[in-house]
Amino acid sequence: MRYWHPFTEEALAQIKKDGITRLVILPLYPQFSISTSGSSLRLLEGIFREDEYLSSMEHTVIPSWYHRGGYVQSMATLIEKELSKFNKPEEVHIFFSAHGVPVSYVKEAGDPYKAEMEECIDLIMTELKFRGVKCKHTLAYQSRVGPVEWLKPYTDEKIKELGKQGIKSLLAVPVSFVSEHIETLEEIDMEYRVLALESGIVNWGRVPALNCEPAFIADLADAVLEALPHAGVMSIPTVDPRPAVVPLGSVEELLVTYDMMRRKLPGPVAVWEWGWTRSAETWNGRMAMLAVLGLLLLEATLGEGILHRLSIIFSSYSFYL
């Protein structure tokens, strides 16, 4: 993983320890984006360049797999199952919510994420229509941070709009996430659910992430087996009958494809002149830390700061309870 154990570096160390000689790199993002899969590949490239063992290892990459039959069918099956829980499934509006990226990534850097996401939704809806599902659907993007423009429509704004249009039954589908985490369990299940109910939507449902859906796992295994013979080959056609926007290839080849000029992508939040990170999460975290630190200093200086007053209020509230 990029941000928790086992870290990429730890996994590569284990690969070396196990004496692996051929590698299939499979990012667990169905659609390719330079902010997700691309970021991971950039990290791998840096590590490969500095390690003689890894740099000589035969490898190939499966950059995206949203178009594979196992993934599409698994998503359709999960959606069908949740639709059946509504009293009137035919009246349900299917609401696909994907993680957003800054518009500049798509327009300026050529990120294929938006194109792949839209094709992904078309494939899923085609499969559902083949099964007799005739519900209308919407694709929106969540989790935006910072002042720059992200892909639209935004999930929160679209939910409000659907409520105003008189939609009463909504089925949320997290489409760019393969496992449950904070953006499904908190952002969708809590924040967006409350927003939907406040916007006039009466019946709310949410499709679970793929997690360990058997057909999905089996298809990922097939993808790896299909890609393995191509390890070490720099330029080959995809083995899938429906090629993705991004072909199979080596880390270096993919990075050249998506970053021909090695341009630095603009971050969601501009860099401050005194050297803080472009990462919105880190920036927000540090701002929050400064705010707390400021409150603590105020408390220490005045003796009766905001935190002190809040503690009195909460203590009184607990007493009356």
Side-chain angles (χ1 to χ4, degrees), residues 35 164 292 295:
S35 63
K164 290 180 180 179
V292 172
L295 288 173

Side-chain angles (χ1 to χ4, degrees), residues 119-249:
E119 183 184 1
C120 174
I121 302 306
D122 287 343
L123 291 171
I124 294 172
M125 290 307 301
T126 298
E127 176 65 23
L128 285 171
K129 288 176 182 176
F130 177 77
R131 302 184 185 192
V133 175
K134 298 180 180 179
C135 300
K136 293 182 178 180
H137 73 281
T138 294
L139 167 62
Y141 297 91
Q142 65 180 82
S143 307
R144 71 185 187 277
V145 291
V148 301
E149 183 182 7
W150 286 54
L151 290 180
K152 293 182 178 180
Y154 299 140
T155 293
D156 53 352
E157 294 180 359
K158 196 63 181 179
I159 288 175
K160 294 177 183 178
E161 182 182 324
L162 291 174
K164 290 180 180 179
Q165 292 175 5
I167 300 297
K168 296 302 179 183
S169 298
L170 196 69
L171 178 60
V173 184
V175 69
S176 56
F177 313 107
V178 297
S179 57
E180 304 291 0
H181 62 303
I182 191 170
E183 287 167 298
T184 59
L185 300 173
E186 197 276 335
E187 194 170 3
I188 295 179
D189 286 355
M190 296 181 184
E191 294 179 27
Y192 293 146
R193 178 179 177 276
V194 170
L195 179 62
L197 296 177
E198 291 175 347
S199 301
I201 293 166
V202 178
N203 306 304
W204 166 273
R206 203 265 282 180
V207 172
L210 287 163
N211 296 311
C212 294
E213 182 72 15
F216 164 62
I217 297 299
D219 192 59
L220 283 186
D222 287 343
V224 173
L225 293 174
E226 292 165 9
L228 191 57
H230 302 288
V233 179
M234 291 299 293
S235 182
I236 51 93
T238 178
V239 295
D240 195 283
R242 277 190 61 104
V245 175
V246 189
L248 283 168

Side-chain angles (χ1 to χ4, degrees), residues 42-101:
R42 177 73 76 195
L43 173 63
L44 286 173
E45 181 200 32
I47 297 173
F48 277 29
R49 286 185 182 278
E50 298 175 1
D51 190 293
E52 184 177 354
Y53 181 92
L54 294 173
S55 63
S56 61
M57 180 185 292
E58 294 182 347
H59 69 277
T60 190
V61 184
I62 304 174
S64 63
W65 36 268
Y66 65 92
H67 58 293
R68 292 185 61 86
Y71 169 75
V72 173
Q73 291 164 20
S74 294
M75 288 294 295
T77 297
L78 291 176
I79 292 171
E80 234 185 347
K81 183 178 179 181
E82 294 304 314
L83 281 173
S84 67
K85 297 179 182 179
F86 287 83
N87 290 331
K88 296 181 178 180
E90 68 280 359
E91 296 181 2
V92 176
H93 192 95
I94 301 174
F95 188 84
F96 293 97
S97 186
H99 196 291
V101 299

